[in-house]
């Protein structure tokens, strides 16, 4: 098979090496437009895991690379006059020039043809001259552009500018420096990659860059600016550039690249041409080289199964891994784009937030790297070294013994709104299970405001004693507090029980629906009637009445459900609210009614008890609510006296395209908490202690709600305590023998693992 590889960066060269090592008879041509050691950038980093992959693929290359490495363990953060250091991170750095020269030499030795200073313009012609054309031509790939229809690229130009400089400053840690100027923050990402040199990347927001006139600065002016700004850290060392061949493009915007498909016919994308990962997660070169391994492996089957199959197999073997890393990189990119948001955190939390920004490293993982650092942060967070989730939290007069919350979960098991024995056992067990706060399911303020015939309510007099029985049990038998979530289904009402079909309209016994506008939730659902002002008053009063009934039942806290496409959420999202009166149009108008409802509830609810608001922080569709709106929504509720925003997302339209993943809604909580300055609760695919503690210690939320994990394990909190060796969690006295046994087993498991 004749292979032509456009681009002689790490991806193309390494692929050339692997192909020639395995299939020596295949002619491989690598075409590179630059000269052999013309390179933009200075050093790159690898993790130990990447090195293992490289070792398995081609030992001689791995050996050469390892011999050229600079190793370091610590991360050092300079922020607001503080220096915070954390260890155990284990990186290796190598100069990009050295890496390229190792790869070029090995590729040449194995018989690959290297054509330098050859800019490929006619990609289609190259394609016709070979059996396999590899686009390893970097983030601005011409191969990808030429066949854009087939690859369907998605290109996102990010909002920071960065310049990749070098310095002789000998750094002994991966170093982050944050400096505030009159126009905004500048960040340095710096690390040593050989005996003499360190990489020194300077980054800032586009508007900061413009305000400092850096758009018109030449290379020398850029260097002078950075040397002056970071002078105190440089200790007399100079900054240098090696991007002269890029004709003045010193400051770049990071380009996030992804592609719907990575191959078609005999063309395939590799490395940055296929996908990029922001430099702050230091994985671009690793991904590029691992792509080469994946492609070389897949090509082994090309002769028997055909090239098409092999390319499909390559894509399938790499896509998930790349997507995971790109998701982590997205979190990391956004962190650095929003330094101003985090700069309001105390320095200890700022540093912790930075270390855990990608959501890939959790609390226990950090502890494995550096126990002393984690002890220090725990002491800072909780006054003593306890896992963050077991640090009490107060809202108004409500004191929670820990930060774990049983998320509201509709059980579809009430009869005309009345919760029964099932609810007593269900909520009672979860209170015994150790969570600090237990939520009721969405409890509907009118009969017509129910989602399904099985939904709980607070609209008949008998609902008060039915709920009081549950509240009294929780108070008498556990230290948990209990919160009543009040809502109205709006356009999503009159549907079947969940297990008979989610959002499916009832076959019989339907009732009429109301909404801000006469827009059905989906083509299958009933068309709701547009609410009149008088009807809006009635529903507002029903919320206030239900709040009063909740007080009689003894609830500790209220939550107003403004999420998931139900009535109040439908007012807020422009997708469902097309009103022409003062309740439609701008976000301010769309919020008017939900705020009126909140005010009416706040007026009857005791001042010492808190009220939270659950919102959908994004509709996950173009033109719907986004993170920026979510901040404004939270700010508006805060202005009315809301104590906490419970940050959920989506379920407002069947057209939503959610980006699922671990903790996928937490970035919205983080943004709201730190931009608005209000307590938040994170929820959504948060499943383990490591994640929970990192969210809390990093200031991404004040409480963490777990929904499905509590369905499978009512004792989630007590199990977490045993797993972490935290012995003070309040077990019911009746269950203490179980505690001792569990703790013994957990201690043995920890010992065996260490
Ligand atoms: C500031 C910064 C810091 C980074 N830090 C790290 C790090 O610490 N660790 C890490 O792993 N990664 C890092 N990266 C990412 C890393 O540089 C890339 O992910 C990696 O180089 C991708 O390799 P590649 O071979 O796919 O692309 P490239 O290295 O971009 O190589 C593509 C090659 O194709 C050539 N080419 C392009 N078009 C043509 C054409 N038409 N004809 C001929 N040749 C062509 C180019 O000249 C280039 O040599 C960083 C990136 C940036 C921007
Ligand atoms: C069966 C079920 C019922 C739910 N009922 C409610 C509800 O009544 N009110 C609400 O706000 N969210 C409800 N949710 C959403 C959960 O509270 C939670 O936000 C969601 O399950 C994501 O968290 P998780 O990944 O921890 O499960 C429900 C979710 C499920 C799976």
């Amino acid at each position: 098979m004749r292979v032509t590889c456009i681009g002689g960066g790490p991806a193309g060269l390494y692929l050339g090496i692997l192909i020639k090592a395995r299939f020596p008879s295949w002619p491989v041509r690598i075409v590179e437009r630059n000269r052999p050691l013309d390179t933009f950038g200075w050093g790159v980093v690898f993790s130990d895991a990447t090195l293992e992959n490289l070792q398995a693929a081609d030992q001689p290359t791995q050996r050469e690379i390892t011999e050229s490495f600079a190793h370091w363990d610590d991360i050092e953060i300079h922020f607001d006059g503080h220096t915070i250091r954390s260890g155990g991170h284990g990186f290796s750095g190598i100069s990009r020039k050295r890496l390229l020269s190792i790869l070029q030499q090995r590729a040449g030795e194995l018989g690959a043809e290297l054509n330098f200073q050859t800019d490929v313009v006619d990609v289609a012609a190259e394609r016709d001259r070979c059996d396999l054309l590899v686009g390893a031509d970097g983030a601005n790939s011409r191969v990808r552009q030429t066949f854009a229809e087939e690859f369907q690229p998605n290109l996102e130009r990010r909002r920071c500018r960065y310049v990749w400089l070098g310095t002789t400053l000998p750094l002994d840690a991966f170093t982050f420096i944050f400096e505030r100027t009159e126009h905004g923050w500048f960040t340095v990402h710096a690390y040593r990659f050989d005996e003499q040199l360190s990489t020194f990347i300077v980054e800032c927001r586009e508007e900061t860059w413009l305000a400092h006139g850096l758009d018109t600065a030449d290379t020398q002016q850029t260097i002078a600016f950075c040397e002056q700004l970071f002078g105190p850290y440089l200790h007399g060392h100079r900054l240098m550039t090696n991007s002269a061949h890029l004709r003045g493009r010193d400051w770049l915007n990071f380009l996030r690249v992804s592609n719907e498909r990575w191959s078609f016919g005999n063309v395939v994308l590799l490395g940055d041409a296929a996908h990029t990962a922001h430099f702050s997660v230091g994985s671009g070169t690793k991904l590029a080289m691992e792509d080469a391994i994946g492609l070389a492996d897949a090509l082994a089957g090309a002769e028997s199964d055909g090239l098409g199959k092999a390319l499909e197999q390559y894509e399938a073997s790499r896509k998930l891994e790349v997507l995971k890393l790109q998701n982590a990189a997205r979190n990391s990119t956004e962190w650095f784009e929003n330094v101003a948001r985090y700069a309001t955190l105390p320095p200890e939390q700022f540093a912790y937030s930075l270390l855990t920004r990608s959501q890939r490293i959790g609390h226990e993982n950090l502890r494995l790297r550096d126990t002393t650092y984690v002890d220090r942060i725990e002491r800072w967070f909780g006054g003593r070294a306890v896992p963050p989730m077991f640090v009490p939290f107060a809202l108004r007069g409500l004191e929670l013994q820990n930060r774990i919350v049983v998320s509201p979960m509709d059980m579809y098991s009430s009869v005309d709104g009345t919760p029964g024995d099932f609810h007593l056992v269900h909520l009672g067990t979860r209170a015994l299970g150790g969570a600090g706060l237990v939520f009721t399911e969405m409890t509907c303020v009118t009969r017509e405001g129910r989602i399904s015939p099985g939904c709980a309510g607070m609209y008949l007099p008998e609902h008060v004693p039915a709920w009081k029985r549950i509240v009294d049990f929780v108070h008498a038998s556990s230290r948990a507090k209990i919160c009543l979530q009040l809502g109205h289904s709006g356009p999503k009402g009159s549907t079947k029980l969940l297990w008979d079909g989610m959002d499916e309209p009832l076959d019989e016994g339907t009732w009429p629906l109301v909404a801000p506008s006469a827009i059905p939730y989906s083509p299958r659902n009933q068309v709701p009637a547009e609410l009149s002002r008088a009807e809006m008053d009635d529903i507002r009063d029903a919320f206030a009445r239900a709040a009063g009934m909740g007080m009689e039942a003894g609830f500790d806290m209220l939550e107003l459900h403004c999420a998931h496409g139900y009535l109040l959420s439908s007012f807020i999202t422009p997708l469902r609210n097309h009103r022409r009166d003062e309740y439609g149009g701008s976000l301010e108008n769309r919020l008017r009614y939900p705020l009126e409802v909140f005010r009416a509830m706040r007026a009857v609810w005791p001042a010492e008890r808190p009220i939270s608001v659950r919102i959908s922080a994004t509709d996950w569709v173009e033109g719907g609510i986004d993170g920026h709106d979510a901040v404004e929504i939270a700010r508006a509720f805060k202005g009315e006296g809301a104590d906490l925003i419970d940050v959920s997302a989506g379920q407002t339209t069947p057209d939503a395209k959610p980006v699922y993943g671990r903790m996928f809604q937490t970035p919205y909580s983080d943004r709201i908490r730190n931009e608005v300055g209000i307590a938040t609760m994170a929820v959504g695919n948060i499943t383990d202690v490591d994640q929970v503690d990192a969210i809390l210690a990093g200031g991404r939320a004040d409480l963490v709600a777990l929904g499905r994990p509590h369905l499978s394990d009512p004792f989630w909190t007590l199990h977490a305590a045993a797993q972490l060796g935290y012995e003070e969690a309040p077990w019911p006295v009746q269950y203490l023998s179980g505690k001792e046994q569990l703790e013994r087993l957990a201690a043995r498991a920890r010992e065996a693992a260490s």
Side-chain angles (χ1 to χ4, degrees), residues 586-629:
S586 65
L587 178 60
E588 189 189 353
N589 281 359
R590 287 182 273 122
L591 271 168
R592 198 180 303 276
Y593 182 60
L595 292 174
E596 279 178 18
V597 172
F598 182 88
R599 225 173 283 136
M601 281 175 37
R602 192 61 268 180
V604 301
W605 189 244
E608 72 282 5
R609 294 190 212 174
I611 309 187
S612 62
V613 179
R614 176 167 268 207
I615 64 168
S616 284
T618 172
D619 288 326
W620 300 119
V621 285
E622 199 65 35
I625 295 290
D626 61 13
H628 173 76
D629 296 326

Side-chain angles (χ1 to χ4, degrees), residues 123-137:
V123 175
E126 285 292 345
R127 179 195 176 192
D128 295 340
R129 283 198 285 268
C130 63
D131 301 311
L132 173 64
L133 182 74
V134 182
D137 48 349

Side-chain angles (χ1 to χ4, degrees), residues 56 79 85 170 236 252 279 332 348 614 722:
F79 169 68
R85 215 171 157 111
L252 302 175
F279 54 83
S332 180
E348 295 81 357
R614 176 167 268 207

Side-chain angles (χ1 to χ4, degrees), residues 409 426 430 687 706-716 719:
M409 305 285 274
H426 166 68
R430 276 140 194 90
T687 51
L706 309 179
R708 289 163 297 168
H710 273 121
L711 292 184
S712 57
D713 181 4
F715 289 81
W716 192 93
H719 288 157

Side-chain angles (χ1 to χ4, degrees), residues 6-12 31-34 40 43-46 96 118-121 136-139 142 162 164 191 201 254 270-273 277 279 282-286 288:
I6 302 187
V31 192
E32 166 57 49
R33 67 177 166 206
N34 288 331
F40 148 64
V44 292
V45 292
F46 287 118
R96 183 169 153 109
T118 313
D119 190 356
V120 175
V121 180
D137 48 349
R142 190 172 285 153
Y162 69 88
W164 200 346
Y191 52 90
I201 302 168
F254 182 78
L270 202 67
D272 273 14
F279 54 83
S283 295
T285 308
K286 154 204 154 78

